[in-house]
Amino acid sequence: MQNSIKFVVILLATLLFLWLVWGFWPLGNTVSLFLSALAIVIAGVAWYWRFKQQQHSKILEKQVSTMLPPASYQQAIVLVCGQSEALFPNGLTHRETSQAWYVSITSPAMLLDVTQTVVETAPVQLGQLSVLFAVLPEQLVLQETLTQEMLNWRRAISESRSKAGVHLPFWVSLYLSPIQQTDPYAKYRHEERPWLTLLNHQREFQVEQNGSLVQPLSEWVQQFFTSEHQQLHTMLSFDYLLDWLQQVFTPQLTVEQAGVRKLVPSAWAIQFIPITSVENNSWQQFITRRTGLAPLTSTQNVPLLPLPDILLTRLHHDISLNRYERLMGAVGIICGLFLVGALSGSYHNNRQLVRHVGEDTARFIQLSDTPLAPKLVTYQQLQTDAVQLSHWQREGVPTGYSLALYQGSYLLPHLHVLLSSWAPPAPPAPVIVQEASEMVSLDSLSLFDVGQYTLKPSATKVLIDALIHIRAKSGWLIVVSGYTDNTGNPVNNQKLSLQRAESVRDWMIQTSDIAPSCFAVQGNGQANPIASNNTAEGRAKNRRVEIRLMPQVDACQASNE
C-alpha cells in the first residue's frame, strides 16, 4: 500500500510538471518536448526503482516477519544489537516482556533490514522503536575486533535512523558478574536484581529495583552493605567499571571516524549478575593492568538474562510526523511548487500581453495619417488584438493566462475606445459599369473566417494568384465586388460583403504598385446569386469576391504617370 501511494505521488508530480510546461510556460515546442521527455524518463526511472525496492521489501518481510510484533502491537519495540546472543540463547529471535518486544539483531546488515521492514510494513511503529546495545565485558576478547565491530554498528545505526526518518533512541545495557567472592544480590531472584541506571542529564548512577527509583548509588551502597569494607570494595569496583567504560568502550562510540557519526547513549542500564567468563577477556585484562590481580571467573547461573524494562518509559523519542503525514506533506509541497510555477508562468504571459498591446497602442497614437500605410497597418494590428481578446472573453481565457491574473478584460475596453476614435479615409466613390472585360471569382471562405472581414493568413496565396491575372492599365477600372448567400440579415450581409471587398482592395494596394484610383468596390450582399441558395453547395458558390476589369474613361491614370 505504501509503495502504491508513492507510485501515485510520482505520477502526480510528473503530470503537474507537464501541465506547467505545456499550459503555463511559453518555452516553445522544442524546449517543451525536451523537458517533457526528460520528466517522463526521470519518472520512469523513479518508478522502476520503487518497484525493485518493493520487491526487495517483500523478500525482507518474509525473512524477518517472525521476529517482529504484529502491526497492531502498541508497546515498545527494542532492537538489541551488540552481544545480543547472550540475551537470546538457544536461537531465540525475540523476547516479549510486559512492556516491550525485544528483537535479536545479530549483525549490522540485519539491523538495516529490520528497520526497512518496519518502515515499509508498519510505519506507525517507528515511534515505538529504539536501539539497545548489549555489552558483556567478560565475553569481549580482542580490542581490535571490538573497534571494527563498533565501527560497523555505528554506521548501521546511522543508516537505520536515515531509513526510519526519525532519531531512534540509542541506549546501552551492561551485564557484569559481581566483583565480590560471594554474590551480594543472591537473595534476589534474577528478575528482581537492582539496576544501576543513568540518563544523559543525570550526574550520578541511580539504583532501581522492581521498576521503582530507590536512591543514588552512593546512598544505596551505605544502606545495602552493612560493613564499611563491603561498601569500599563495592564503590572501588564500580569506579573500575566506569574507568573501563571511559577508556575501552565509550571511545568506540564517540571517537570521530570518517563518514561515521558518533553515538551518545541516552541511557545506561548496568546489572551485576553471574556471567560466563571467557579466558583472557577485556575486563580481566583491564583489572589485571590496574591492580595486578585477576578478577574471579564465573559461570552464568540464570537461564535468561533480564531485560532493562525499567528505562523504557524514560526514553525520548522524536516528536515527528508519521510516514503518512510526511507523504501528505510531500504531496502538498509538490502541489505548492506547481502553484508557484503556474502563477509565475501566468504572470509572465499576462505581462507580455500587456506589453504587446501597450506597444501597439503607443505606436498607433504616435503615427500620423501621412503617410497612411503605417497608420493603417497599426490600426489593423489593434483590430487583431481586439478580436483575439474578444474571442477569449467569449470562449474562455487560455490556461497560461488564467489563475486570476488575466489582464485582457481591462485592455479590451481601452482598445474599443481607441479603434472607434479613428477610421481609415473613405475610398473614392466607386463607378459601377456593366461591361466586363476580365473577371476573377474568389471563394470567400478561402479568404475570410465565417462572419469576419479580416483576411486570413492563408489568403495571401489566393490573392497573389488573382493579382497575377489582374493587370492595371489606363482607361480601365478594377472593380472588387463582394457577395454573400441569403442566410442572415440582408442589411448585415450587404455591410459584410462591402467590408470584404474593401479588405481585398486594401491588400492589393499595399502589396502592389497599383494606385488607389484604379479601384472601385461594391457590396452586393445576397443579390445576384450564381447558384441556388437552397443547397449548401449553392450557398458556398454565392459567398464570393469578384474582381473585374471594367472600361472607364480617365480611370487609373496614376499608373501611367
Side-chain angles (χ1 to χ4, degrees):
M1 181 63 180
Q2 187 74 11
N3 282 280
S4 299
I5 296 177
K6 291 181 179 179
F7 290 150
V8 173
V9 171
I10 293 173
L11 180 61
L12 173 65
T14 305
L15 293 177
L16 290 180
F17 180 77
L18 294 178
W19 191 5
L20 278 179
V21 169
W22 291 100
F24 291 93
W25 294 346
L27 302 174
N29 290 339
T30 302
V31 177
S32 297
L33 285 172
F34 172 76
L35 291 178
S36 299
L38 182 63
I40 292 173
V41 169
I42 293 175
V45 172
W47 206 324
Y48 177 76
W49 179 78
R50 288 301 309 169
F51 175 77
K52 298 296 291 184
Q53 191 178 49
Q54 185 180 28
Q55 299 303 311
H56 179 65
S57 299
K58 289 181 179 179
I59 296 174
L60 290 180
E61 185 179 354
K62 291 180 180 179
Q63 294 175 348
V64 303
S65 58
T66 58
M67 304 169 55
L68 294 173
S72 58
Y73 188 75
Q74 300 294 321
Q75 302 291 348
I77 302 173
V78 183
L79 307 181
V80 185
C81 306
Q83 296 170 270
S84 60
E85 294 88 345
L87 277 66
F88 300 87
N90 303 322
L92 287 177
T93 59
H94 66 276
R95 288 173 58 184
E96 184 178 5
T97 67
S98 60
Q99 299 186 42
W101 185 290
Y102 292 84
V103 181
S104 175
I105 305 297
T106 57
S107 68
M110 185 178 179
L111 176 63
L112 295 175
D113 291 343
V114 171
T115 304
Q116 181 66 33
T117 301
V118 175
V119 169
E120 296 294 339
T121 61
V124 294
Q125 292 182 339
L126 290 174
Q128 305 161 228
L129 213 60
S130 66
V131 178
L132 173 65
F133 200 92
V135 182
L136 287 78
E138 296 168 272
Q139 295 185 2
L140 293 173
V141 180
L142 297 177
Q143 179 69 22
E144 296 78 6
T145 303
L146 175 63
T147 301
Q148 185 58 47
E149 288 181 353
M150 289 302 302
L151 185 62
N152 294 336
W153 280 116
R154 285 171 61 181
R155 185 177 291 109
I157 292 171
S158 178
E159 292 181 14
S160 296
R161 286 174 170 176
S162 299
K163 285 181 178 291
V166 296
H167 190 80
L168 300 178
F170 172 75
W171 49 310
V172 178
S173 65
L174 186 144
Y175 301 86
L176 187 67
S177 298
I179 300 176
Q180 293 91 333
Q181 186 171 5
T182 58
D183 184 1
Y185 313 106
K187 63 181 181 179
Y188 298 115
R189 293 183 301 174
H190 67 273
E191 66 272 8
E192 296 177 350
R193 285 175 175 263
W195 285 90
L196 279 63
T197 64
L198 180 71
L199 301 178
N200 54 10
H201 65 277
Q202 295 176 334
R203 294 187 176 182
E204 183 179 359
F205 274 84
Q206 308 292 311
V207 179
E208 299 187 41
Q209 190 173 13
N210 295 328
S212 60
L213 181 65
V214 178
Q215 55 194 150
L217 176 62
S218 56
E219 298 179 7
W220 178 83
V221 168
Q222 293 178 5
Q223 295 182 7
F224 185 80
F225 296 100
T226 56
S227 70
E228 293 184 357
H229 174 74
Q230 287 180 318
Q231 296 174 8
L232 180 62
H233 187 274
T234 299
M235 293 303 297
L236 186 61
S237 301
F238 188 72
D239 287 342
Y240 283 140
L241 175 59
L242 294 182
D243 289 342
W244 181 86
L245 289 173
Q246 294 175 357
Q247 297 180 29
V248 178
F249 180 72
T250 304
Q252 307 300 329
L253 301 175
T254 57
V255 171
E256 295 290 341
Q257 295 285 346
V260 181
R261 298 178 182 177
K262 67 179 182 179
L263 287 175
V264 178
S266 58
W268 295 80
I270 299 175
Q271 186 168 93
F272 292 101
I273 192 169
I275 299 295
T276 300
S277 304
V278 299
E279 185 178 355
N280 198 28
N281 59 70
S282 176
W283 173 248
Q284 187 180 53
Q285 295 176 28
F286 180 80
I287 294 298
T288 301
R289 285 196 304 268
R290 293 293 301 272
T291 66
L293 302 173
L296 300 174
T297 58
S298 64
T299 303
Q300 182 172 334
N301 59 8
V302 294
L304 289 175
L305 294 177
L307 297 169
D309 281 354
I310 53 172
L311 285 177
L312 288 173
T313 57
R314 279 171 280 169
L315 294 178
H316 295 288
H317 291 79
D318 280 354
I319 302 176
S320 57
L321 301 177
N322 61 39
R323 195 77 171 180
Y324 292 103
E325 291 171 334
R326 289 199 299 273
L327 197 59
M328 294 306 297
V331 172
I333 291 174
I334 291 173
C335 294
L337 291 175
F338 164 77
L339 184 59
V340 170
L343 286 171
S344 301
S346 180
Y347 171 78
H348 173 78
N349 293 335
N350 280 281
R351 185 178 180 184
Q352 291 296 103
L353 175 65
V354 172
R355 184 177 66 83
H356 172 72
V357 175
E359 290 176 352
D360 291 344
T361 302
R363 189 181 305 112
F364 177 78
I365 295 174
Q366 292 171 0
L367 290 174
S368 63
D369 292 357
T370 306
L372 180 61
K375 183 82 169 183
L376 189 59
V377 170
T378 307
Y379 180 79
Q380 291 173 343
Q381 182 59 51
L382 288 179
Q383 286 182 317
T384 302
D385 295 341
V387 169
Q388 183 183 56
L389 295 180
S390 298
H391 175 74
W392 287 355
Q393 194 173 47
R394 292 192 308 270
E395 304 297 332
V397 180
T399 303
Y401 294 84
S402 57
L403 297 181
L405 299 178
Y406 179 60
Q407 300 297 310
S409 57
Y410 303 103
L411 297 173
L412 187 57
H414 178 66
L415 285 177
H416 285 160
V417 171
L418 198 61
L419 288 171
S420 63
S421 66
W422 185 86
V431 178
I432 303 175
V433 296
Q434 299 299 322
E435 183 181 358
S437 175
E438 297 181 27
M439 191 269 286
V440 176
S441 181
L442 305 176
D443 181 8
S444 290
L445 290 182
S446 65
L447 303 176
F448 310 96
D449 288 328
V450 176
Q452 302 294 321
Y453 60 88
T454 302
L455 289 170
K456 298 193 295 186
S458 59
T460 302
K461 183 178 183 306
V462 178
L463 291 173
I464 290 175
D465 292 340
L467 190 60
I468 293 174
H469 296 85
I470 301 297
R471 298 295 182 181
K473 50 188 176 180
S474 179
W476 290 81
L477 192 65
I478 303 173
V479 180
V480 183
S481 303
Y483 298 89
T484 66
D485 57 26
N486 67 347
T487 58
N489 185 281
V491 175
N492 292 338
N493 285 342
Q494 191 278 329
K495 182 180 178 181
L496 178 62
S497 65
L498 178 60
Q499 290 173 326
R500 287 179 172 179
E502 290 173 344
S503 296
V504 173
R505 178 205 60 192
D506 294 343
W507 181 90
M508 288 188 171
I509 292 174
Q510 295 172 13
T511 306
S512 66
D513 58 353
I514 303 175
S517 61
C518 295
F519 289 90
V521 294
Q522 293 177 328
N524 297 316
Q526 60 193 42
N528 303 324
I530 59 175
S532 174
N533 279 310
N534 295 328
T535 64
E537 182 179 353
R539 289 192 295 272
K541 291 181 179 180
N542 291 332
R543 294 189 296 267
R544 67 197 188 279
V545 175
E546 293 180 351
I547 306 174
R548 290 189 177 93
L549 281 176
M550 306 292 291
Q552 176 69 46
V553 178
D554 297 329
C556 203
Q557 295 299 318
S559 61
N560 295 326
E561 293 178 357

